[in-house]
Amino acid sequence: MRLANKAMRLAGALLAVLSFLPADGVLAQAECDKPVYLTFDTGHMGVARLIGDVLDRQKVLATFFIANEPTRTGGASLDDHWAPWWREMASRGHLFASHTYDHVYWLADLPDGRFRVRPSAGPDAGRVREWTGDQYCDELARADARFEQITGQRLAALFRAAGGKTSPALVRAALECGYMHVGWSPAGFLGDELPSDRYPNAQLLERALRTIRPGDILMAHLGIWSRQDPWAPAVLEPLIVGLKQRGFCFATMEAHPGYRNFLLTGQAGTEPIWTH
């Protein structure tokens, strides 16, 4: 089962990489010796349009890890309400990958090779379940199927576990069916899910500009329910501008040396990969 799924994923991965190559009218990958990789996970989508506008204005490409999470519009992030926005973002040349369809958290490895998990969205939200590796792979593929239905494009053969929580066994299970995990660099945790009373936006911006280094994978969300003072409206554009002034450029994950070979060949490389 997993070998067959992996073969299908390898073919899809190459098509996904080719489909995201810039064409006329979309943003191009910047080239420099100080790249960073800006990534976004889904959330309540309240700042999604703002983020898309900032990226377009700054001519920056990003990688989006997508799940079907509850939104402020009363629906979910991959529903028909948001489908036009995803199509527009895909047309601009951004890269997209799975975040598990129901935003499923890994909780523990079990002795029989299964995993204890808990979805935070969908019909089983909040309920602890025990899954096989194949079931987890099926969950990754559900996001791919929905994205293809919306945009006509496949997701890249990458995923980010909900909350970034994984185990070596979970990462291996996903690799066996053709998905490679993407975490984030320590300095790349941009803090948009931290309480704003203790971590104000000005502090988060200053810390990011001071600590981000070339090659870092940066992570934020399209909306966080718990943060009172939203991060993106205050921080995202000053962060991009500030990093550009320091000589940084932005690229999507298919340009990352730790993932580029995998996306083209399906073979994991030996380069060190940040987890979180």
Side-chain angles (χ1 to χ4, degrees):
M1 172 75 76
R2 290 194 203 176
L3 289 177
N5 287 341
K6 184 173 182 179
M8 293 176 64
R9 287 297 311 152
L10 295 184
L14 182 55
L15 288 174
V17 171
L18 293 175
S19 71
F20 291 119
L21 290 176
D24 290 344
V26 301
L27 305 179
Q29 298 270 28
E31 293 185 6
C32 71
D33 59 359
K34 295 173 64 176
V36 291
Y37 305 89
L38 181 59
T39 72
F40 293 94
D41 297 350
T42 44
H44 63 52
M45 303 294 285
V47 292
R49 290 189 172 89
L50 180 146
I51 287 172
D53 290 345
V54 168
L55 297 178
D56 192 45
R57 183 162 55 246
Q58 291 296 327
K59 295 181 168 50
V60 163
L61 289 174
T63 302
F64 293 84
F65 292 89
I66 65 171
N68 196 41
E69 299 186 66
T71 65
R72 284 186 169 178
T73 56
S77 50
L78 298 179
D79 65 14
D80 290 344
H81 174 86
W82 284 102
W85 186 81
W86 291 114
R87 284 193 289 269
E88 175 62 24
M89 296 301 286
S91 74
R92 296 180 187 178
H94 299 286
L95 190 70
F96 304 86
S98 183
H99 195 34
T100 70
Y101 188 81
D102 282 339
H103 201 250
V104 178
Y105 284 90
W106 169 89
L107 301 178
D109 296 340
L110 298 174
D112 60 357
R114 293 172 178 257
F115 305 100
R116 185 172 292 121
V117 300
R118 185 182 64 242
S120 67
D124 285 340
R127 299 173 182 172
V128 175
R129 294 289 184 251
E130 294 183 3
W131 280 4
T132 64
D134 285 340
Q135 286 175 298
Y136 191 83
C137 287
D138 289 345
E139 178 69 11
L140 294 172
R142 290 177 68 203
D144 192 0
R146 176 55 178 159
F147 189 74
E148 186 176 21
Q149 182 184 43
I150 291 171
T151 68
Q153 298 182 8
R154 298 290 302 275
L155 296 180
L158 304 172
F159 82 104
R160 175 171 288 154
K165 298 181 182 300
T166 65
S167 70
L170 187 75
V171 170
R172 284 195 301 271
L175 270 176
E176 288 178 9
C177 60
Y179 292 88
M180 191 173 191
H181 187 253
V182 179
W184 55 85
S185 311
F189 176 73
L190 297 176
D192 66 333
E193 57 192 294
L194 297 174
S196 53
D197 56 343
R198 289 190 289 144
Y199 300 91
N201 286 324
Q203 177 183 320
L204 294 178
L205 175 60
E206 185 278 329
R207 183 179 69 182
L209 290 173
R210 174 170 44 84
T211 61
I212 288 171
R213 298 291 180 265
D216 279 351
I217 300 171
L218 317 182
M219 186 277 294
H221 299 80
L222 299 181
I224 290 292
W225 292 96
S226 59
R227 188 170 175 88
Q228 297 301 307
D229 186 12
W231 173 89
V235 178
L236 179 59
E237 195 152 25
L239 175 62
I240 291 173
V241 171
L243 290 174
K244 285 181 176 180
Q245 290 172 345
R246 288 159 172 78
F248 288 89
C249 63
F250 294 82
T252 54
M253 290 305 303
E254 80 265 35
H256 190 290
Y259 296 91
R260 183 170 51 219
N261 183 67
F262 177 79
L263 288 172
L264 291 174
T265 70
Q267 300 298 313
T270 58
E271 299 87 348
I273 307 258
W274 291 110
T275 53
H276 59 277

